[in-house]
Amino acid sequence: LSRIGDELYLEPTESGLSLRAVNSSRSAFASFLFAPLFFQLYEPGGAGPDAELFRCKVHMKSLLGIFRSLPSLEKSVGKCLILLKPRASRLVLQLHCKYGVTKTHNLTFQECERLQAVFDTQRCASRLCAPARVLAEAVVHFPPMLAEVTLGTGPGGKISLRNYVEDEAEPSKTMVTELWLAEDEFQSVAVAPGSHITFCLKEFRGLLSFAEASNLPLTIHFDEPGRPMIFTLDDTVLEVHLVLATLSDLESNSQSPSTNGVSHLPAPSDNFADDLESYMAAMETSEGPSEGPPSPTFPLRTPRPAESEPEEEREEEEEEEEGAVPGTPPHKKFRSLFFGSVMTPGRPSPATTQEVLAEDSDGES
Amino acid sequence: MPFSAQPPASGERYALSASLDNARHLSSLLRAVHFQDHATCFATASGLRVTVEDAKCIQANAFIQAEIFQEFSVQEESVVFRVSLSVLLDCLTIFGTSSLPGTSTALRMCYRGYGYPLMLFLEEGGVVTVCKINTQEPDELLDFDFCSTKVINKIILQSEGLREAFAELDMTSEVLQITMSPDKPYFRLSTFGNAGSAHLDYPRDSDLMEAFHCTQTQTNRYKISLLKPSTKALALSCKVSIRTDAQGFLSLQYMIRNEDGQICFVEYYCCPDEDVTEGEL
C-alpha cells in the first residue's frame, strides 16, 4: 500500500478490517480487506449497533516505521494488538514481543471520509488469471523505473506485455521491450480478441510482490482503454483489490495503426528460436521476412515488418526510455478513477461518459 | 625530526608505554565512545581510561585495564593528555577494519610526557606503521559524583533485549524518557515523536532482567541525541546496568567481552533534561 499512497486509510467494517490507499493523482486505489477470521479477536466496536464505525487515516511512514523489519518481527513479536481510540485521538498498536517485552505505539490519526473507488469487475470484458510468479517473471524484463506498460492480446490466445512509448519520444533514445506469454501460462484467459490496455507498472509492482510472497493467483480484469483496470487477489481471509486508471486510446482512432496497437502486429509463432533468428536477420538485411516477428514500432511509424530504415539499428542501443516520472502516471491522458461519493458504494459507474468524476472525498463535509 | 621504525629501547623513560597484541581490543572500545572528536586519556597503574564529553551533559568513559595489555607501564603517578580520538582511531585501524580470523594488528604505544606527542607503532604481517599524534592540554571534566550509595533505582539487563530498541528509537522525538519503578510498568523507555508516542516496557520478571532493584518510581527525560551514541556500546556489550540517582542522573554501564574473552567496561553518564515532568502513560 505504501507504493500507492502516503496515507493509510483504516476502515473497520462488519466484514473485516479494510486498509486502503490512493495515490496523489487519484489514478490508483488499493484495498486490503482482512476478514474477521484473519484475527484472533476482531471487534469493530462502535457505540451501539447503529453507530457508524469509526474510520481514520494515518501517515504511511509512521506505520512503516513500526513494521520496519519483517525478519525481526517474525523472530521477536508474538502478537499485535490494534486499538482505535477516537476519544483519545489515538490509534494504538501494541506489539507483544518475546521476553515479555511490550512495544506500544500511540499514533495520531486524521478523521476522514470513506475512500472508495467505483469499479465493477463484472463489467469488464476481459479477464486473465495467472500465478503471481508468471507475471513477476514477465515484469522483471522491464526497467525498474518504467512507468507504463501495455497489455495486449494476440491471435492464438497469446498475451503480450510491452512498454508504452510516448508519441513525443525520440526513436533514437527509446528502447522497446515486448514479451509474449502463451495462453497455457495462465490459469484462465477470457479476453476480448484484439484488446489492449495501458497502465502504470510501478503501482502494480507493489501488489505483485505481495502476491508472490503470499503465493496467491492474480486476476486481472480489464475493459476498454480508459476504463479502470482491476487486479484482485482472493484468499479465504483476505480480499485485495488494486484499481488502476488506464490510458485512453484517443489516438488510435485517428491514426492507424496506433503506436501501441498491439492488435495490428502479428504475434510470434510458437517456434520462438527460429523466429528470433529470422527476426535478427530481418534487422540486418533490408528485406523483411514474409512472416515472422514484427519489428518494434516507434511512434509515427507504420509497423510493417519490412521496415528497413537505419533507425531500426538504434533498437540495439541500451538507452532507456526517457524519464517518465515514476510513481504518478504523468500522461495527461490517464483519467482519474471514478470516486464515488460517500454514501453509495455499490452504485454502478456511469458507462458512457468520459467525464472525470473524481471528487476529492476529503473535501466533502 | 626523523624517527626510526623501531620502537624505542625499553631503557628509555616513558611516562606511558604499553604493548597490545591485538589493537582491536582497544579500537573497538574506543569506537563505543567516539561521539566527539576529542578525548581525554588517563593512564594509571590500573590501566587506561578514555573520556569523551558533550554539551556539559553527557560523559562516556572507556576502561581498558592493565591486564588486557601484554605490557603496561606508567612511570609517573598519573598521566593525562587530550588527543584527537578520530585520529587515534584512524591510526589504530590503519591496516583496515575487517577482522579476519588469525590476523591482528600489534600495537606499541609510547608517551614521553607533557608536551610530547603520543607515538603508536602498529604492525601487521611484517608491515610497520609509525604514527605520531599531537597531544593537548587536558580539559576539565565533569564530575557526576555518581556513587553506588546514592543510587535509587538499578536494573541489569541482557543487552540483547535493548539493542534493537535503541537502534530503532524514534529520532523525531527530542527526548528519551526512562521510567523505573517497583510497580508497573517497571522499566519503560518512551519517545514522543512526530507520529505519536511509543513505549517500550520490560517487565521485572522478564528473562532478560538479570537484576531488578527499584525502590521508588522515577521518570526522567534525557536528550535523545546525546544518548543515541551509546547504542554503539550497547551493540558490543553483553550486559548493561542502568542506574539513576535522586537528581535523575543516569548511569549506563556496559560490560563488554573482547575477542579473547576478557572483560572491559564502558560507561555513560547523562544529566536529565531541564523540564522534568511526569511522562504520558
Side-chain angles (χ1 to χ4, degrees):
Chain A
L1 283 168
S2 68
R3 306 273 190 107
I4 308 279
D6 292 329
E7 290 178 319
L8 181 75
Y9 290 72
L10 269 110
E11 187 164 346
T13 69
E14 289 302 328
S15 45
L17 176 65
S18 179
L19 301 178
R20 301 169 187 204
V22 66
N23 70 353
S24 51
S25 53
R26 304 208 152 236
S27 57
F29 163 87
S31 85
F32 281 68
L33 178 66
F34 293 92
L37 277 177
F38 177 82
F39 304 95
Q40 268 182 341
L41 170 72
Y42 180 70
E43 278 168 20
D50 297 325
E52 203 183 82
L53 294 173
F54 194 81
R55 66 181 87 89
C56 66
K57 59 178 180 175
V58 294
H59 287 294
M60 201 68 80
K61 270 208 204 110
S62 323
L63 286 169
L64 288 176
I66 299 170
F67 295 98
R68 192 178 327 205
S69 155
L70 279 179
S72 92
L73 279 173
E74 276 176 40
K75 224 178 28 163
S76 53
V77 180
K79 256 194 319 191
C80 174
L81 171 67
I82 305 175
L83 286 173
L84 190 44
K85 292 185 172 177
R87 261 173 293 161
S89 299
R90 289 289 183 271
L91 172 68
V92 180
L93 270 122
Q94 196 173 66
L95 301 172
H96 293 251
C97 313
K98 62 181 182 182
Y99 304 124
V101 177
T102 313
K103 270 193 230 190
T104 309
H105 295 267
N106 302 303
L107 300 177
T108 52
F109 61 70
Q110 270 183 289
E111 285 188 44
C112 60
E113 294 299 336
R114 186 149 192 251
L115 178 74
Q116 177 68 60
V118 176
F119 59 92
D120 188 356
T121 55
Q122 300 300 321
R123 300 191 73 252
C124 289
S126 306
R127 194 188 72 237
L128 292 167
C129 183
R133 181 194 45 83
V134 167
L135 294 166
E137 284 172 359
V139 150
V140 84
H141 293 97
F142 294 97
M145 288 324 239
L146 175 67
E148 291 108 22
V149 289
T150 304
L151 178 86
T153 62
K158 288 201 186 343
I159 307 293
S160 75
L161 274 175
R162 174 196 171 93
N163 61 316
Y164 174 75
V165 178
E166 286 188 25
D167 303 339
E168 301 87 48
E170 271 191 53
S172 61
K173 294 205 176 124
T174 314
M175 178 167 84
V176 177
T177 306
E178 180 174 32
L179 67 105
W180 293 85
L181 295 165
E183 199 176 342
D184 58 16
E185 303 229 42
F186 293 85
Q187 285 171 342
S188 82
V189 176
V191 296
S195 57
H196 64 274
I197 193 136
T198 303
F199 61 96
C200 183
L201 183 59
K202 195 213 172 210
E203 275 141 1
F204 172 56
R205 282 186 196 266
L207 180 71
L208 190 53
S209 318
F210 181 86
E212 253 197 308
S214 49
N215 210 16
L216 290 170
L218 196 59
T219 307
I220 307 174
H221 305 262
F222 63 97
D223 201 58
E224 287 158 20
R227 298 197 52 73
M229 189 168 180
I230 305 137
F231 301 81
T232 61
L233 290 174
D234 265 299
D235 181 73
T236 46
V237 290
L238 175 63
E239 226 178 86
V240 186
H241 287 96
L242 171 67
V243 187
L244 295 180
T246 61
L247 193 63
S248 69
D249 213 19
L250 301 175
E251 297 179 321
S252 62
N253 299 329
S254 55
Q255 179 192 24
S256 83
S258 76
T259 56
N260 273 291
V262 174
S263 54
H264 294 275
L265 302 173
S269 65
D270 285 315
N271 203 345
F272 183 64
D274 287 356
D275 285 352
L276 184 59
E277 264 183 49
S278 54
Y279 179 71
M280 296 305 290
M283 302 312 305
E284 284 159 24
T285 66
S286 50
E287 358 168 341
S290 48
E291 62 171 52
S295 61
T297 55
F298 293 97
L300 309 177
R301 286 194 185 284
T302 53
R304 288 174 297 131
E307 209 57 33
S308 60
E309 265 106 43
E311 274 83 12
E312 288 177 341
E313 309 286 308
R314 294 185 200 155
E315 185 215 289
E316 308 289 317
E317 285 183 46
E318 294 296 286
E319 282 168 3
E320 302 263 332
E321 184 179 50
E322 4 181 76
V325 174
T328 56
H331 218 293
K332 303 181 281 294
K333 293 176 198 147
F334 275 97
R335 304 292 185 192
S336 293
L337 293 172
F338 301 139
F339 275 88
S341 68
V342 177
M343 260 62 77
T344 54
R347 190 180 67 196
S349 50
T352 50
T353 175
Q354 288 270 320
E355 253 177 75
V356 172
L357 293 188
E359 313 245 10
D360 187 336
S361 61
D362 283 350
E364 300 201 339
S365 51
Chain B
M1 163 176 102
F3 44 87
S4 68
Q6 307 291 324
S10 38
E12 297 193 37
R13 202 181 150 77
Y14 277 84
L16 162 68
S17 98
S19 296
L20 193 56
D21 282 349
N22 187 350
R24 271 198 300 273
H25 290 344
L26 180 60
S27 60
S28 57
L29 240 71
L30 293 182
R31 239 189 248 119
V33 300
H34 184 210
F35 56 87
Q36 283 286 283
D37 190 50
H38 282 86
T40 305
C41 299
F42 296 82
T44 66
S46 356
L48 191 65
R49 170 183 146 204
V50 177
T51 302
V52 180
E53 281 187 357
D54 190 13
K56 297 261 175 247
C57 279
I58 187 155
Q59 180 186 89
N61 298 295
F63 295 93
I64 310 100
Q65 57 269 40
E67 292 74 35
I68 305 279
F69 294 88
Q70 274 62 56
E71 209 188 296
F72 193 85
S73 112
V74 176
Q75 300 291 351
E76 294 167 13
E77 241 192 62
S78 81
V79 170
V80 192
F81 55 85
R82 183 177 182 255
V83 77
S84 162
L85 186 55
S86 313
V87 173
L88 176 57
L89 272 168
D90 283 345
C91 294
L92 290 173
T93 56
I94 204 153
F95 288 104
T97 47
S98 66
S99 46
L100 294 166
T103 65
S104 61
T105 309
L107 166 74
R108 180 149 178 82
M109 191 159 65
C110 307
Y111 175 65
R112 251 207 186 123
Y114 181 80
Y116 286 90
L118 177 68
M119 305 280 289
L120 302 176
F121 298 86
L122 294 128
E123 185 264 330
E124 186 176 308
V127 179
V128 178
T129 307
V130 182
C131 307
K132 188 172 97 170
I133 308 175
N134 287 332
T135 58
Q136 290 125 33
E137 290 282 346
D139 286 327
E140 199 170 304
L141 296 174
L142 299 168
D143 180 8
F144 283 77
D145 193 25
F146 200 102
C147 60
S148 38
T149 51
K150 295 190 183 168
V151 170
I152 306 266
N153 289 321
K154 168 178 173 163
I155 66 169
I156 300 182
L157 272 175
Q158 285 177 22
S159 302
E160 181 198 339
L162 273 179
R163 259 179 230 143
E164 201 191 289
F166 262 77
E168 290 182 358
L169 279 179
D170 180 5
M171 295 308 288
T172 65
S173 168
E174 274 192 30
V175 295
L176 175 66
Q177 179 173 284
I178 302 183
T179 304
M180 293 168 82
S181 171
D183 310 308
K184 277 198 176 170
Y186 304 115
F187 178 57
R188 168 178 281 189
L189 299 172
S190 309
T191 52
F192 308 93
N194 294 340
S197 63
H199 304 289
L200 192 53
D201 293 347
Y202 293 82
R204 67 181 296 166
D205 56 358
S206 165
D207 284 344
L208 293 170
M209 201 67 82
E210 291 223 350
F212 188 89
H213 305 290
C214 291
T215 57
Q216 218 181 84
T217 302
Q218 277 187 309
T219 300
N220 291 295
R221 292 183 171 199
Y222 308 91
K223 282 211 162 44
I224 207 168
S225 54
L226 296 178
L227 280 182
K228 182 75 174 164
S230 68
T231 314
K232 276 190 257 189
L234 185 61
L236 286 174
S237 66
C238 44
K239 279 191 221 186
V240 57
S241 116
I242 303 168
R243 303 177 300 164
T244 50
D245 68 6
Q247 293 159 288
F249 284 78
L250 176 70
S251 150
L252 300 166
Q253 291 176 316
Y254 303 91
M255 183 169 108
I256 296 170
R257 220 177 269 277
N258 70 16
E259 288 163 32
D260 294 341
Q262 296 162 311
I263 307 266
C264 291
F265 286 93
V266 166
E267 65 188 6
Y268 274 71
Y269 290 109
C270 195
C271 303
D273 202 24
E274 291 96 56
D275 316 304
V276 177
T277 53
E278 283 299 303
E280 300 172 11
L281 281 174

